[in-house]
Amino acid sequence: MMSNDSRHAEILAEVAGLMANFHGREYLGDIDENTRFFADLGLASIDAVVLGETLQAHYGQPLPFGDLMAELGRREDRDLTMGELVEFLAKHLESRSEGTSCRS
Amino acid sequence: MPKLNARGMSFHIQQAGEGSDVILIHGVTGDLSVWFLSKAIQELGTTHRATAYDLRGHGYSDVPPDGYTSGDHAQDLLAIMDEIGAPKAKIVGHSFGAVIAAHAAAIAPERITAVVFSDPYFPALRHLEDASKWGHWKAFRLEAEAAGVTLSDEHWYDLDKFFDQVNHLNDERMLKFRQAVGLPAMTRLLRLGKTTCGADTKAVAGLTTELIESIKAPSLAIYGAASPFLATADFLSERLPNCRTVTIPNARHRAPEENPEAFVHAVKTFIESVDA
């Protein structure tokens, strides 16, 4: 059983890898848990919709991104940190099977 | 991501649920994410097949150099309905999306069975409204000014003038401007600024006062209580034979973002009343 910290670090690395070539990315730079999706990465909420699909395909399971988007829509600053995204994924991902394939 | 081809272009669409069709149309410079952030697509998807798409020039759809009038977009909508197998649909448009919805309802009354007009301002009805009341624009203008970009008040509705004023900014000033006004996707906005969208959005394009008045489908005019376009709301409720009006508290022009619960509740209640 992996510790929460290393699980989080693993998910963050996976998300950062998926985002390295993500459409709509305007600014390059390292991604850590404090990186903000909109203010720092220059992404827009439409990119979040598409990233949600990319992550579901990557992990091969449905995830409640509709709920996450609705929650985001009710935030004052409308922004999401990578740490929060990782937290969401860690909460909803079933224990990952070994054979999960990586899609580009 | 789901794409479909219509009229020689690729459109990004998202769908939720099963049942009779409801189609969601965002405004100019926006994209379909507004329907996720407001929870409209998730909620409508519990009872209908809800479809949202990125307009041409927006989000992840193709960006042709021209063809951005309400008439062009209405033809896109009807072609998308063909592609998804929706002979008829109820349609929900916000801002210019509602102008597109009106245009489609007027030219294809046999296909559009109900319409929600969320806070539109019609080019043909420009005389009804005092543009200086648009508080959102005033706030935006002050923020832009703080970032060193002066936007003319006289051209508030004038997207192409707006694009002219920001197109020349260098990277550093653009970043400052973008951060000041909270527009994260400047690349897309500037891409749109190179099309005829700005000018086309102002064009009557055949959607005359008479054509707007001819819409007989059940409709709901939904406006923010502090919307700058309440004269247009009055016009719709007085002149359209089957239109009722609802105002959303604590909202100006963008009720789906400013008060999403009340907005989605009003839309869903109306759609279900038409179904009944």
Side-chain angles (χ1 to χ4, degrees):
Chain A
M1 182 81 185
M2 209 180 279
S3 76
N4 276 347
D5 279 357
S6 60
R7 180 71 176 124
H8 278 53
E10 185 193 32
I11 294 173
L12 181 63
E14 286 170 348
V15 173
L18 284 173
M19 293 190 60
N21 292 309
F22 194 71
H23 324 269
R25 178 99 184 257
E26 293 189 350
Y27 297 96
L28 296 171
D30 290 335
I31 291 176
D32 64 29
E33 61 186 17
N34 297 316
T35 305
R36 291 166 300 173
F37 203 80
F38 302 103
D40 296 324
L41 295 177
L43 294 171
S45 44
I46 188 68
D47 302 311
V49 172
V50 174
L51 179 67
E53 288 180 344
T54 306
L55 287 166
Q56 291 179 90
H58 175 79
Y59 289 111
Q61 69 179 83
L63 295 160
F65 273 101
D67 295 343
L68 183 66
M69 290 297 292
E71 198 253 311
L72 187 58
R74 282 145 187 80
R75 290 185 181 191
E76 191 64 36
D77 65 356
R78 294 290 188 91
D79 217 331
L80 182 74
T81 65
M82 284 305 125
E84 290 171 317
L85 178 60
V86 167
E87 193 69 40
F88 167 86
L89 290 170
K91 183 176 163 192
H92 295 287
L93 281 175
E94 295 157 12
S95 52
R96 194 165 60 122
S97 65
E98 289 305 308
T100 305
S101 65
C102 189
R103 303 196 194 178
S104 58
Chain B
M1 96 198 70
K3 296 263 190 139
L4 64 77
N5 288 307
R7 305 185 77 208
M9 282 171 285
S10 169
F11 288 90
H12 171 213
I13 76 159
Q14 294 284 340
Q15 291 185 304
E18 303 284 333
S20 65
D21 283 292
V22 176
I23 301 182
L24 305 168
I25 312 162
H26 68 77
V28 161
T29 73
D31 54 56
L32 62 75
S33 68
V34 65
W35 306 118
F36 283 90
L37 294 166
S38 63
K39 217 178 178 181
I41 189 165
Q42 298 93 316
E43 291 287 334
L44 288 165
T46 62
T47 47
H48 292 77
R49 179 169 73 158
T51 301
Y53 67 101
D54 283 333
L55 295 176
R56 61 163 70 195
H58 295 72
Y60 283 85
S61 291
D62 279 355
V63 187
D66 50 27
Y68 290 87
T69 68
S70 58
D72 297 315
H73 286 293
Q75 294 295 348
D76 291 350
L77 169 65
L78 296 170
I80 287 167
M81 286 171 61
D82 292 340
E83 290 299 319
I84 63 171
K88 296 182 180 207
K90 302 179 187 73
I91 58 179
V92 179
H94 174 65
S95 194
F96 195 71
V99 180
I100 297 166
H103 209 131
I107 63 174
E110 71 291 353
R111 300 192 65 182
I112 306 301
T113 55
V115 192
V116 175
F117 303 108
S118 168
D119 238 281
Y121 160 86
F122 293 89
L125 304 178
R126 182 175 300 169
H127 57 281
L128 295 179
E129 303 289 358
D130 171 6
S132 66
K133 285 188 303 184
W134 203 24
H136 173 71
W137 172 254
K138 278 200 250 180
F140 186 86
R141 195 168 154 261
L142 286 174
E143 289 165 350
E145 202 150 285
V149 178
T150 304
L151 302 171
S152 165
D153 222 7
E154 145 195 21
H155 298 303
W156 70 272
Y157 54 84
D158 204 331
L159 280 177
D160 51 351
K161 290 273 193 323
F162 166 71
F163 291 138
D164 283 350
Q165 285 165 306
V166 296
N167 256 330
H168 69 277
L169 298 178
N170 63 27
D171 287 354
E172 192 189 335
R173 289 186 67 202
M174 181 62 83
L175 178 60
K176 201 172 163 203
F177 173 70
R178 174 183 154 263
Q179 287 170 333
V181 301
L183 287 172
M186 283 309 286
T187 305
R188 286 202 189 85
L189 198 58
L190 295 176
R191 185 182 67 177
L192 188 63
K194 295 187 172 72
T195 71
T196 60
C197 178
D200 287 357
T201 304
K202 289 181 296 172
V204 172
L207 187 61
T208 58
T209 305
E210 294 69 31
L211 201 62
I212 297 168
E213 288 172 336
S214 77
I215 298 168
K216 293 185 184 62
S219 61
L220 178 71
I222 178 166
Y223 279 77
S227 167
F229 304 131
L230 292 175
T232 302
D234 290 342
F235 173 94
L236 293 172
S237 69
E238 285 163 18
R239 304 288 189 90
L240 270 55
N242 208 355
C243 181
R244 61 190 113 144
T245 308
V246 63
T247 53
I248 301 297
N250 304 317
R252 292 178 295 178
H253 177 56
R254 296 178 299 139
E257 295 167 64
E258 293 159 336
N259 191 345
E261 277 79 15
F263 175 83
V264 173
H265 178 74
V267 170
K268 208 163 156 48
T269 304
F270 168 72
I271 296 281
E272 284 166 7
S273 77
V274 177
D275 287 333

